[in-house]
Amino acid sequence: MSDSAGLDNFIGKWRTRWPEWQVAETFIPATQRQAVVAWFALLQEFEDIMNVDGDPLPADAKLGWWAQELRDWSQQRSRHPLGRVLEPLKAPWAELAEALPVVQLIRRQPGSLDDAMAQFAPFARVVAKVEAALFDAAAPDAHGHQALAAQWLASRAEAAGAAAAPVGMELPAWRALLLKAWPPAPGLSRPRRLWLRLARLRLKRELAGERPVAKPLALLWHSWRGASGGR
């Protein structure tokens, strides 16, 4: 498979999972769009490893491969098709590599919301730092880190169901708690604000018993709000 075909495959997989982005990316400068979807596709690879079903050993081996790949990006070397887009961009790739073990830790059933947030905090901080570098955003604050953690924990809940919730808590109650703990984060990069907005909208719709993906007109309004920094 050529690098171009491989890149299209990974980006296409992410776009299939997030069809809302076809509307949302209208608010992203055209010059940034390929880097944005390549970055989000990379994060989806880590989410898939986090949400692996069954024997985790192959997924953990893949995570180890990614850690080395990211360290190589810091030395201007890449093997993965996504690296052809992302590696030339200056970002703390080695720091991201060091934070990857959090992806394994978050599989554990948390004791509480605070426990889950604390487990994820190191990874959230590095992801926000990478995005600030990639998309020329300000350094994120604690609210930005918490919003990132809430998005990942919502993804974990979608994949793992009740096993993602604290012991003794039903899944709907856990999702409602995540939604309540999900702060506005206007200081994050515009691409992240948009994705956060879409993910939070999905969570709200799931709690309401509606289909996760909203209609195009609603998506356009929510995307505009996300791009402008509104909640």
Side-chain angles (χ1 to χ4, degrees):
M1 181 183 294
S2 68
D3 281 351
S4 177
L7 178 65
D8 290 345
N9 178 61
F10 284 99
I11 289 177
K13 182 170 66 172
W14 183 83
R15 284 186 176 277
T16 297
R17 295 187 185 185
W18 289 94
E20 303 98 312
W21 196 251
Q22 185 174 358
V23 174
E25 73 177 349
T26 304
F27 297 93
I28 299 293
T31 54
Q32 282 191 345
R33 288 177 188 171
Q34 186 182 48
V36 169
V37 293
W39 168 242
F40 288 167
L42 175 64
L43 292 179
Q44 187 65 66
E45 293 299 300
F46 302 152
E47 282 195 30
D48 288 347
I49 291 169
M50 175 181 69
N51 294 326
V52 65
D53 185 21
D55 182 5
L57 290 180
D60 290 346
K62 186 177 182 181
L63 192 68
W65 184 92
W66 270 117
Q68 185 57 53
E69 175 75 354
L70 290 170
R71 293 186 190 102
D72 288 345
W73 290 7
S74 295
Q75 304 298 320
Q76 288 76 55
R77 298 192 302 268
S78 63
R79 291 169 289 174
H80 197 278
L82 293 173
R84 301 295 187 266
V85 176
L86 296 172
E87 174 264 301
L89 305 176
K90 290 186 177 180
W93 302 120
E95 289 185 48
L96 182 60
E98 297 307 313
L100 286 183
V102 172
V103 172
Q104 298 164 296
L105 293 176
I106 208 68
R107 294 179 193 144
R108 302 172 183 170
Q109 193 167 17
S112 65
L113 176 63
D114 287 345
D115 177 36
M117 288 287 186
Q119 276 191 334
F120 196 77
F123 190 70
R125 285 194 293 268
V126 177
V127 167
K129 190 174 179 179
V130 171
E131 291 178 355
L134 291 178
F135 308 124
D136 195 25
D141 58 14
H143 283 169
H145 301 153
Q146 187 172 337
L148 271 165
Q151 181 180 357
W152 277 72
L153 292 171
S155 169
R156 177 68 181 152
E158 183 176 0
V167 176
M169 182 178 290
E170 298 293 331
L171 182 58
W174 176 235
R175 284 175 162 166
L177 189 59
L178 288 175
L179 192 61
K180 185 177 179 181
W182 196 317
L188 292 173
S189 69
R190 177 177 289 190
R192 173 57 63 177
R193 294 198 309 268
L194 282 165
W195 197 10
L196 283 170
R197 182 84 185 198
L198 298 177
R200 193 173 188 275
L201 177 61
R202 274 195 184 188
L203 184 58
K204 288 180 69 174
R205 292 177 64 85
E206 287 168 351
L207 278 168
E210 301 172 341
R211 62 187 296 270
V213 179
K215 293 183 177 180
L217 190 59
L219 287 174
L220 186 64
W221 184 85
H222 281 281
S223 297
W224 172 77
R225 289 286 291 165
S228 63
R231 181 161 180 174

